[in-house]
Amino acid sequence: VQLVESGGGSVQPGGSLTLSCATSGFTFENAAISWIRQAPGTGLLEWVSDIDTRGNKRYRDSVEGRFTISRDNAENMVYLRMDDLKPEDAATYFCAKVLRELMPRITYPRGQGTLVTVSS
C-alpha cells in the first residue's frame, strides 16, 4: 500500500492550493480516503475530510465551504482543493486509507505528507 501526496506550497491568506494523493497497492475503488493534517510544532493529527467509496464527502467544520475533496477512480487519485486559506490551515497534510471514525482505533496507511504554509 502506498500513498504519495503532492501539491503543497506557500500561499498568502485567501489563496488556494490543490493537493493530490497518488495511491497504489490496493483496490482503490473499494477504499475510503481521508485527508488529515498536523500543524507545525504539534504532534496532533487532525482529521480534515474524507470521501467514501460512494463518493460521499465530509469535512471538519472549520474547512466546510472552503475545501473540496474529490476522487478519480480511473487514476487512483484523491484531491483536496483548498480555497480561502487561513493561517490556521498551515500544516503538513497527509492522505490516509481510513475513515474518520476508525482513526483512533486502527493503524492505517498514510503518505509522507506535503507541507502547506499560509502567511503574508
Side-chain angles (χ1 to χ4, degrees), residues 2-3 7 15-17 25 29-31 39-40 46 56 60 62 68 70 72 83 87 94 102 105 108 111 117-118 120:
Q2 189 172 23
L3 302 99
S16 298
L17 283 173
E29 63 186 15
N30 294 341
E46 180 178 81
N56 296 310
R60 70 180 299 106
S62 62
T68 304
S70 62
D72 183 340
D83 294 316
F94 303 88
L102 296 178
R105 296 160 51 188
Y108 49 87
T117 304
V118 185
S120 53

Side-chain angles (χ1 to χ4, degrees), residues 20 24 32 61 77 82 104:
S20 300
S24 61
D61 289 347
M77 296 286 296
M82 306 185 295

Side-chain angles (χ1 to χ4, degrees), residues 57-117:
K57 307 170 185 181
R58 299 184 296 183
Y59 304 93
R60 70 180 299 106
D61 289 347
S62 62
V63 309
E64 181 80 52
R66 300 188 296 118
F67 289 14
T68 304
I69 192 171
S70 62
R71 65 189 295 157
D72 183 340
N73 287 349
E75 298 293 333
N76 296 347
M77 296 286 296
V78 177
Y79 304 96
L80 187 68
R81 169 73 179 187
M82 306 185 295
D83 294 316
D84 190 22
L85 281 160
K86 305 179 184 300
E88 54 264 37
D89 295 318
T92 298
Y93 284 72
F94 303 88
C95 58
K97 184 178 174 290
V98 69
L99 274 174
R100 179 186 63 187
E101 292 83 359
L102 296 178
M103 283 178 60
R105 296 160 51 188
I106 65 172
T107 300
Y108 49 87
R110 74 179 195 206
Q112 82 291 343
T114 187
L115 180 64
V116 173
T117 304

Side-chain angles (χ1 to χ4, degrees), residues 34-47:
S34 285
W35 284 97
I36 57 180
R37 67 188 180 187
Q38 185 174 43
T42 76
L44 295 176
L45 287 174
E46 180 178 81
W47 174 83

